[in-house]
């Protein structure tokens, strides 16, 4: 990355500045029409409102204390915070006075519950008030605050109502007194990262640098010696060696963050930490953080990531294991972890457009994350395996319901991940039917995308300005997009002459009515895994554009492991699938084991095979029709690429 790029600061467009159509617009419609209220209803059913309603008795311990010393009930504030954030974003698209009134009532409860000093946490005010700030490693106090901060920022931007924002500012002002190296202060940080990136959002919306400084403090302190978590445990009378997972790697607190070179521990925590680090790197032009993040990025994406952008293969630690350990059927690949990867990738673009981050952001967004929400917006995935024998299905709710509001808030705010603005440049990271509004070089601009992406690779941009202005428009050219072409006002540009770090950078004086045409070939392509990924040996996966494809029983019958691709994948026939909202399937020639094996478990002759056609559907939309088997990595057969 050159020095020019390091010194610039790209920040996402605010959510209200982008209007979406197409696939993302459809996802937002489902959330507006169903998910947003479902989240709130299910939070109420779980008892979360009673927990913050000081006019009612505390519900006490609803979810039992677990061996690690806490309960998922401790996280309830975070679930409400993410639900408020989702609702706020949904209000941009579709005003809903009823839903807004319900959030206002929740905000009133939080304001009433807040202590005079600013402290705010339902569990530690209403259930265990004597345990405040005694176990930052396990009890998620700052994590909950972070999600309430993000909800407050979103709700203020959506409605102009400051009450929750002011409540959270009072809380953070109190934190600034609590945390630090001064007399009586705590040099601590949260076991579950989140507060770091939330404080950056708060600083950006309020203009208060002190909130950035607190975020930087938490990042700088993490993993330093003497270790805060050890000292905290001893001070609290706990055995410092007896705790959940028995390693500080679980929460990425085993080393100072700038010294970490391997992605370890709980996947969601890691992604949130790296997101906060990337934000602070952007705000402070901190090359030491950027360098550490680049090393960690390579470690994750070349050794520990599923083709879907899923991360964290193990349920035991909800996180990482060994290099190249990527089992398919038992894959944990938590929805929240892919959401977190989208967060991190997006923030890595803060110091300049680079497709090494944006390509992965798109891959994780479309596959590992978007799979977490059903097409009707009513059911969810927590885990996202790449193979199912027919027993993995979407659920209504979960004892730890972090994923439903997480994927909902991401999809309702996805417009801000599509565009980023610097002083003299607008970068387009993701493609989809949309209109973005911003000011640059003294001009008010509306940039419109007309496209059916990801089903069709033609993207047409229209530029509307109130006055001519000189700035750069940077368009990502995905690494897989061989043969991409671009025209400005009908004149072809040589991509090689304008491409910087995988983006076509078009710098010129723009006039009202200028048009840009980008054509991205969406050819089906076969994907093979590194031979060290033993679970994928002899198998291939299918992608088209950013989408990973899979086979389901619904289209292909049972026994999916008997399917083998039998020809060049470029011969795929594109078919629109009924009942999947315009989703494009791929029909491919294949061979298949015939079901004539007999009753013996083993025999000396292989199964007979027949020619067939296999239908592949996009992975994010599986399990939206009839229940059944699913498979991403199919036997390679005779296929050897395009």
């Amino acid at each position: 990355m050159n020095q020019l790029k390091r010194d610039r600061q790209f920040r996402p467009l605010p959510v209200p500045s982008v209007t979406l159509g197409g696939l993302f617009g459809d996802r937002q419609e489902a959330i507006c029409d169903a998910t947003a209220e479902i989240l709130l209803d299910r939070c109420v059913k779980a008892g979360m409102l009673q927990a913050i309603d000081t006019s009612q008795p505390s519900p006490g311990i609803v979810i039992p204390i677990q061996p690690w010393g806490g309960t998922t009930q401790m996280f309830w504030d975070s679930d409400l915070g993410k639900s408020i954030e989702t609702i706020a974003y949904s209000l941009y698209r579709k005003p809903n006075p009823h839903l807004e009134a319900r959030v206002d009532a929740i905000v009133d409860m939080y304001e009433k519950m807040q202590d005079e000093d600013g402290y705010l946490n339902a569990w530690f005010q209403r259930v265990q008030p004597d345990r405040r700030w005694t176990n930052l490693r396990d009890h998620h106090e700052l994590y909950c605050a972070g999600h309430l901060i993000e909800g407050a920022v979103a709700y203020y931007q959506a409605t102009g109502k400051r009450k929750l924002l002011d409540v959270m500012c009072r809380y953070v002002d109190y934190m600034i007194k609590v945390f630090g190296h001064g007399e009586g202060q705590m040099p601590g940080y949260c076991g579950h990262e989140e507060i770091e990136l939330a404080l950056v959002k708060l600083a950006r919306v309020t203009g208060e640098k002190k909130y950035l400084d607190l975020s930087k403090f938490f990042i700088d302190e993490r993993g330093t010696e003497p270790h805060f978590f050890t000292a905290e445990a001893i001070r609290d009378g706990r055995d410092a060696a007896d705790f959940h997972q028995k390693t500080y790697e679980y929460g990425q607190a085993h080393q100072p963050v700038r010294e970490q070179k391997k992605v370890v521990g709980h996947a969601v925590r890691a992604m949130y930490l790296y997101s906060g680090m990337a934000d602070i790197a952007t705000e402070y032009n901190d090359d030491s953080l950027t360098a550490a993040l680049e090393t960690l990025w390579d470690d994750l994406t070349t050794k520990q990531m599923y083709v879907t952008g899923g991360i964290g293969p193990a349920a035991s630690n909800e996180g990482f294991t060994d290099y190249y350990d990527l089992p398919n059927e038992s894959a944990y690949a938590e929805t929240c972890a892919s959401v977190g990867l989208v967060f991190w990738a997006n923030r890595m673009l803060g110091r300049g457009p680079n497709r090494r981050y944006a390509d992965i952001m798109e891959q994780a967004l479309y596959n590992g994350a978007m799979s977490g929400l059903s097409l009707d917006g009513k059911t969810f995935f927590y885990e996202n395996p790449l193979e199912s024998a027919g027993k993995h299905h979407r659920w209504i709710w979960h004892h730890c319901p972090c994923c439903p509001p997480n994927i909902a808030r991401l999809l309702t705010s996805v417009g801000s991940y599509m565009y980023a603005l610097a002083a003299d440049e607008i970068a387009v990271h993701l493609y989809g039917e949309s209109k973005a509004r911003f000011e640059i070089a003294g001009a008010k601009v509306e940039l419109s995308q007309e496209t059916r992406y990801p089903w069709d690779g033609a993207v047409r941009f229209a530029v509307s300005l109130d006055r001519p202005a000189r700035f750069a428009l940077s368009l990502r050219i995905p690494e897989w997009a061989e043969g991409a072409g671009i025209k400005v006002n009908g004149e072809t540009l040589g991509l090689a002459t304008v491409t910087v770090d995988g983006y076509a950078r078009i710098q010129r004086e723009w006039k009202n009515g200028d048009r840009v045409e980008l054509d991205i070939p969406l050819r089906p392509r076969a994907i093979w895994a590194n031979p060290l990924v033993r679970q994928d040996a002899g198998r291939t996966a299918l992608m088209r554009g950013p989408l990973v494809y899979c086979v389901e029983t619904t289209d292909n019958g049972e026994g999916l492991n008997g399917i083998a691709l039998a020809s060049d994948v470029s011969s795929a026939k594109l078919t629109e699938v009924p009942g999947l909202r315009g989703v494009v399937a791929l029909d491919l020639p294949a061979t298949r084991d015939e079901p004539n094996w007999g009753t013996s478990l083993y025999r000396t002759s292989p199964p007979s095979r027949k020619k067939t056609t296999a239908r592949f559907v996009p992975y994010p939309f599986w399990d939206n029709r009839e229940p059944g088997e699913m498979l991403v990595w199919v036997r390679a057969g005779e296929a050897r690429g395009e």
Side-chain angles (χ1 to χ4, degrees):
M1 191 182 294
N2 61 42
Q3 189 61 40
L4 168 66
K5 294 175 71 64
R6 282 195 184 280
D7 290 344
R8 290 182 300 162
Q9 296 169 312
F10 282 79
R11 298 183 178 90
L13 289 187
V15 176
S17 298
V18 184
T19 306
L20 292 172
L23 174 59
F24 289 139
D26 177 77
R27 299 288 69 223
Q28 291 187 345
E29 285 291 310
I31 294 167
C32 291
D33 293 342
T35 316
E37 188 140 31
I38 282 171
L39 294 176
L40 212 48
D41 288 345
R42 293 175 187 169
C43 285
V44 172
K45 187 175 181 180
M48 295 183 195
L49 283 203
Q50 185 183 349
I52 64 171
D53 187 353
T54 56
S55 69
Q56 299 184 55
S58 167
I61 300 174
V62 177
I63 302 175
I65 301 291
Q66 301 299 306
W68 53 271
T71 162
T72 57
Q73 187 179 341
M74 288 176 165
F75 320 155
W76 278 1
D77 286 331
S78 73
D79 299 322
L80 282 174
K82 283 183 284 188
S83 298
I84 290 170
E85 188 179 355
T86 299
I87 291 167
Y89 295 145
S90 77
L91 295 175
Y92 298 136
R93 184 175 187 92
K94 188 173 289 188
N96 188 328
H98 165 69
L99 208 48
E100 188 173 336
R102 291 185 67 182
V103 172
D104 289 342
I106 293 171
V107 172
D108 288 343
M109 292 179 197
Y110 271 118
E111 183 186 47
K112 186 176 180 181
M113 188 175 72
Q114 187 169 35
D115 285 351
E116 277 192 30
D117 61 11
Y119 185 83
L120 185 68
N121 183 290
W123 179 268
F124 292 103
Q125 287 179 277
R126 306 256 288 155
V127 182
Q128 289 186 328
D130 59 323
R131 298 293 292 157
R132 180 194 299 190
W133 301 139
T134 58
N135 186 350
L136 295 184
R137 185 190 66 202
D138 301 321
H139 288 171
H140 290 59
E141 277 169 281
L142 291 169
Y143 167 84
C144 285
H147 281 305
L148 283 173
I149 289 168
E150 290 194 86
V153 170
Y155 199 62
Y156 166 66
Q157 290 178 323
T159 65
K161 297 175 181 177
R162 287 193 59 99
K163 183 178 289 188
L164 185 57
L165 186 69
D166 290 340
V167 164
M168 296 316 297
C169 285
R170 285 195 292 273
Y171 190 7
V172 178
D173 289 343
Y174 163 68
M175 289 181 199
I176 291 171
K177 299 175 184 175
V178 171
F179 294 97
H181 287 290
E183 186 176 349
Q185 288 185 304
M186 298 169 61
Y189 42 87
C190 194
H192 193 314
E193 305 92 326
E194 149 65 19
I195 186 72
E196 297 85 353
L197 63 92
L199 287 169
V200 174
K201 284 189 176 181
L202 188 64
R204 286 174 175 172
V205 80
T206 62
E208 292 284 356
K209 185 175 180 295
K210 61 183 177 180
Y211 301 144
L212 285 180
D213 292 339
L214 182 59
S215 176
K216 187 174 186 301
F217 172 82
F218 288 140
I219 288 168
D220 290 344
E221 286 300 307
R222 193 168 208 87
T224 58
E225 296 288 348
H227 206 288
F228 175 78
F229 289 161
T230 300
E232 173 190 64
I234 294 170
R235 186 168 57 249
D236 194 35
R238 293 180 275 117
D239 182 348
D242 182 19
F243 61 99
H244 188 52
Q245 300 293 332
K246 308 295 188 294
T247 171
Y248 290 149
E249 286 188 352
Y250 180 63
Q252 300 77 44
H254 56 298
Q255 290 176 303
V257 297
R258 291 169 178 81
E259 298 174 19
Q260 296 184 26
K261 300 187 185 314
K262 182 178 180 181
V263 175
V264 295
H266 187 275
V268 179
R269 298 177 195 225
M271 296 304 103
Y272 285 3
L273 170 63
Y274 306 154
S275 296
M277 289 167 62
D279 270 339
I280 292 301
T282 296
E283 295 298 335
Y284 289 84
N285 288 319
D286 189 333
D287 289 349
S288 65
L289 282 176
T290 297
L293 289 167
E294 288 171 345
T295 298
L296 291 164
W297 182 268
D298 287 342
D299 184 80
L300 177 70
T301 59
T302 65
K303 300 182 182 73
Q304 302 197 70
M305 186 185 77
Y306 285 99
V307 69
T308 57
I311 54 174
S316 59
N317 67 343
E318 294 190 305
F320 302 101
T321 53
D322 298 323
Y323 285 159
Y324 307 108
D325 179 32
L326 297 168
N328 293 309
E329 189 168 9
S330 65
Y332 197 69
E334 185 181 342
T335 297
C336 281
S338 288
V339 169
L341 177 53
V342 174
F343 291 168
W344 179 24
N346 182 255
R347 286 160 172 82
M348 289 299 285
L349 298 164
R351 306 195 74 186
N354 191 320
R355 77 176 175 201
R356 73 189 293 233
Y357 307 119
D359 279 3
I360 296 294
M361 176 172 72
E362 182 179 54
Q363 192 170 342
L365 169 64
Y366 273 99
N367 301 290
M370 194 157 59
S371 57
L373 181 67
S374 64
L375 280 171
D376 63 9
K378 297 178 180 179
T379 53
F380 312 93
F381 277 147
Y382 196 102
E383 304 100 331
N384 293 277
L386 282 75
E387 178 176 352
S388 170
K391 297 180 181 179
H392 185 77
H393 304 296
R394 301 175 190 274
W395 40 261
I396 301 295
W397 205 235
H398 196 275
H399 70 278
C400 182
C402 52
C403 294
N406 223 1
I407 182 56
R409 71 183 180 130
L410 171 60
L411 289 175
T412 44
S413 63
V414 74
S416 69
Y417 294 79
M418 297 174 73
Y419 301 92
L421 185 65
D424 60 351
E425 186 171 346
I426 180 73
V428 183
H429 301 313
L430 300 170
Y431 300 112
E433 185 181 327
S434 58
K435 291 184 178 180
R437 297 165 293 277
F438 52 93
E439 294 188 19
I440 189 169
K444 293 181 179 179
V445 182
E446 181 178 88
L447 182 64
S448 300
Q449 283 194 56
E450 182 182 338
T451 181
R452 291 186 62 250
Y453 190 90
W455 315 123
D456 188 286
V459 188
R460 304 293 178 256
F461 292 91
V463 185
S464 300
L465 307 91
D466 64 349
R467 55 176 294 274
R470 184 173 180 80
F471 59 90
L473 169 65
S474 286
L475 307 177
R476 178 175 62 98
I477 310 299
E479 186 176 11
W480 45 260
E482 294 183 16
I486 193 166
K487 295 180 180 179
V488 178
N489 295 329
E491 293 186 14
T492 300
L493 288 186
L495 273 180
T497 64
V498 297
T499 299
V500 180
D501 292 334
Y503 279 69
R505 190 171 191 270
I506 310 167
Q507 186 161 12
R508 67 196 299 272
E509 183 175 81
W510 296 91
K511 298 180 176 61
N512 190 50
D514 282 346
R515 300 188 66 84
V516 179
E517 300 169 60
L518 175 63
D519 285 297
I520 302 174
L522 296 182
R523 301 187 187 95
R525 59 195 189 277
I527 304 294
W528 278 266
N530 186 311
L532 294 173
V533 183
R534 61 192 182 281
Q535 297 91 346
D536 298 333
R539 294 180 176 263
T540 186
L542 188 64
M543 292 188 72
R544 180 176 183 262
L547 292 167
V548 173
Y549 278 70
C550 65
V551 285
E552 285 192 272
T553 298
T554 303
D555 306 302
N556 301 283
E558 296 180 351
L560 300 180
N561 272 299
I563 295 175
L565 288 182
S567 66
D568 191 321
V569 299
S570 64
S571 63
K573 178 183 176 183
L574 276 57
T575 307
E576 194 167 305
V577 183
L580 286 184
R581 303 192 187 209
V583 163
V584 173
L586 302 176
D587 290 343
L588 277 166
T591 61
R592 188 163 193 165
D593 294 344
E594 291 194 279
N596 58 353
W597 183 268
T599 59
S600 61
L601 186 57
Y602 306 102
R603 74 183 193 193
T604 57
S605 59
S608 59
R609 314 199 78 192
K610 66 176 182 179
K611 292 182 178 181
T612 187
T613 297
R615 171 162 291 181
F616 289 74
V617 297
Y619 173 81
F621 306 120
W622 83 275
D623 198 49
N624 273 284
R625 297 172 291 167
E626 297 299 318
E629 299 175 49
M630 181 277 295
L631 191 62
V632 168
W633 290 95
V634 299
R635 288 156 62 183
E638 300 169 10
R640 287 296 179 267
E642 296 180 23

